[in-house]
Amino acid sequence: MLMELTHRCPLKCPYCSNPLALDRARDELDTATWKRVISEAAAIGTLQGHFSGGEPMVRDDLAELVGHARAEGLYTNLITSAVLLTASRMTELAQAGLDHVQISFQGADAEVADPIAGLRNAHAKKIAAAKLVREAGLALTVNAVVHRRNLHQLPAMIELAVEAGAQRIEVAHVQYYGWALKNRAALIPTRAQLDEATIIVEAARTRLNGILTIDYVVPDYYASRPKACMGGWARRFFNITPSGKMLPCHAAETLPGLRFERVTDRSVGEIWADSPAFEVYRGTAWMAPPCQGCPRAEIDWGGCRCQALALTGDAAATDPACGLSPNHALMAALAVAESTAAIDDFAYRMIS
Ligand code: SF4
Ligand code: FES
């Protein structure tokens, strides 16, 4: 379960996966409702509770919610920009039983990172926060989101993770949803940049074996097979938005014609079991050729519905990241055209 506690955030990253229409503070679920949601999720066998946003640390009740999730038996993970992480809040979260922290970095130094985050001094605060996490004895993952504007710092970002004492770094090429889709032409790397990054990651994996685990997420636009988005629609993941909508993925609200129910109207278990929006792409019965009958149908589940919609206009189409999709060549051509375009301006994420 991914809990987007809030869409409020001091950063303005132009690749944020939040929707363009952000929820306002006054619409956020209250503490009691989040606790009920966590208990209902635990009751249907949810294993992990990921506290995210926006920036989840803007909520004063974060430690209380983490403590409740731990009491309900969930593994707890905080996904944070870390710019609000003080020593006292770190202590409060550790005492609540937080298991793991993921800190996102926008680059390897302030000169590159702060203009991407849209916040001065953000990078220095993140470095200090990573130290607090390690001093508290918690597991730390560095989220290095990479794109055309910071890929030249990839080796330094890997070193930063080692120096910060992280056990893991996730080198994640931007996935083009939400604000990232809007800013795709300014972010998408060239094929040469991607190939160089892959070589750097492979070499670092060998060199840092036993010291740092490196996960690597490649951009769909250069893939020949799609990712199994969310492990398949409504199979093992759900997301709760700040205002309480329950979604099968973070971009699901872009799909037209689907009504996503609220946890204020029905329980998590009821929505998971039979909400029409959860049923629509569950399993393989909805698939048309070439997915229907494909030997990989229960491996990648046809790829990503939101990407299929964004690039073909049809959410039920085969994800164009698949080489068997009739739209695959279009996606590849788009990547070449946009990655070599002289577009440098971002539309920074903000609540309008
Ligand atoms: Fe996956 Fe569909 Fe492509 Fe087969 S045709 S590999 S199921 S996306
Ligand atoms: Fe919605 Fe992939 S992001 S199905």
Side-chain angles (χ1 to χ4, degrees):
M1 169 170 61
L2 180 71
M3 292 166 275
E4 291 179 348
L5 298 184
T6 179
H7 277 159
R8 288 174 286 156
C9 183
L11 271 59
K12 306 188 186 79
C13 304
Y15 52 71
C16 181
S17 63
N18 285 159
L20 299 182
L22 296 163
D23 287 347
R24 293 182 176 277
R26 62 173 178 262
D27 298 322
E28 290 173 11
L29 298 181
D30 61 19
T31 309
T33 307
W34 274 117
K35 282 179 154 176
R36 175 176 58 74
V37 164
I38 290 166
S39 296
E40 289 173 358
I44 60 166
T46 302
L47 297 176
Q48 300 179 2
H50 299 269
F51 293 90
S52 180
E55 173 46 66
M57 293 209 63
V58 304
R59 294 266 312 209
D60 292 339
D61 55 0
L62 177 62
E64 186 176 349
L65 298 177
V66 167
H68 186 73
R70 283 291 260 120
E72 290 286 8
L74 268 63
Y75 179 85
T76 53
N77 179 31
L78 174 63
I79 303 170
T80 179
S81 70
V83 297
L84 303 177
L85 189 62
T86 59
S88 62
R89 289 206 77 188
M90 188 68 260
T91 303
E92 188 191 25
L93 287 164
Q95 284 173 352
L98 183 64
D99 292 297
H100 183 259
V101 181
Q102 281 178 255
I103 300 180
S104 60
F105 281 85
Q106 282 71 26
D109 57 39
E111 198 182 346
V112 167
D114 288 353
I116 295 168
L119 183 71
R120 217 175 289 156
N121 293 329
H123 187 76
K125 287 179 181 163
K126 287 161 182 274
I127 297 284
K131 194 161 173 273
L132 291 176
V133 173
R134 296 303 297 135
E135 283 170 357
L138 268 66
L140 172 67
T141 292
V142 164
N143 283 355
V145 182
V146 293
H147 46 79
R148 190 158 96 224
R149 304 277 281 273
N150 68 358
L151 263 172
H152 62 287
Q153 291 202 324
L154 177 56
M157 288 170 91
I158 294 170
E159 285 316 307
L160 180 156
V162 174
E163 280 166 26
Q167 287 83 7
R168 196 169 72 98
I169 182 171
E170 185 172 307
V171 178
H173 283 268
V174 169
Q175 303 287 303
Y176 294 99
Y177 305 100
W179 291 85
L181 184 60
K182 191 178 173 70
N183 285 305
R184 188 180 58 197
L187 295 170
I188 194 164
T190 62
R191 176 87 225 191
Q193 277 183 307
L194 169 63
D195 291 344
E196 192 186 342
T198 305
I199 291 167
I200 290 168
V201 166
E202 288 308 329
R205 275 179 172 157
T206 306
R207 187 168 49 86
L208 298 172
N209 188 21
I211 298 170
L212 182 72
T213 300
I214 306 181
D215 292 338
Y216 188 47
V217 179
V218 296
D220 291 333
Y221 284 66
Y222 293 110
S224 55
R225 287 283 178 268
K227 61 181 181 281
C229 196
M230 306 297 139
W233 182 269
R235 291 191 73 247
R236 62 181 195 203
F237 172 92
F238 60 90
N239 175 23
I240 312 283
T241 70
S243 61
K245 278 188 198 163
M246 185 161 153
L247 311 176
C249 69
H250 50 269
E253 286 182 279
T254 60
L255 304 188
L258 298 185
R259 193 178 72 80
F260 294 103
E261 297 183 74
R262 290 183 187 276
V263 291
T264 43
D265 296 330
R266 288 221 294 163
S267 74
V268 169
E270 286 169 327
I271 297 172
W272 178 257
D274 65 13
S275 178
F278 276 65
E279 289 296 306
V280 64
Y281 301 119
R282 211 173 226 160
T284 57
W286 58 273
M287 292 178 177
C291 292
Q292 191 57 254
C294 175
R296 289 182 57 83
E298 292 194 5
I299 297 171
D300 63 35
W301 305 95
C304 175
R305 297 307 88 226
C306 302
Q307 187 151 268
L309 175 85
L311 297 181
T312 75
D314 178 6
T318 296
D319 185 337
C322 177
L324 300 174
S325 159
N327 296 298
H328 185 68
L330 177 102
M331 188 179 202
L334 212 152
V336 171
E338 292 194 354
S339 65
T340 52
I343 295 174
D344 286 331
D345 286 348
F346 295 139
Y348 282 106
R349 169 205 195 274
M350 41 185 93
I351 294 183
S352 57

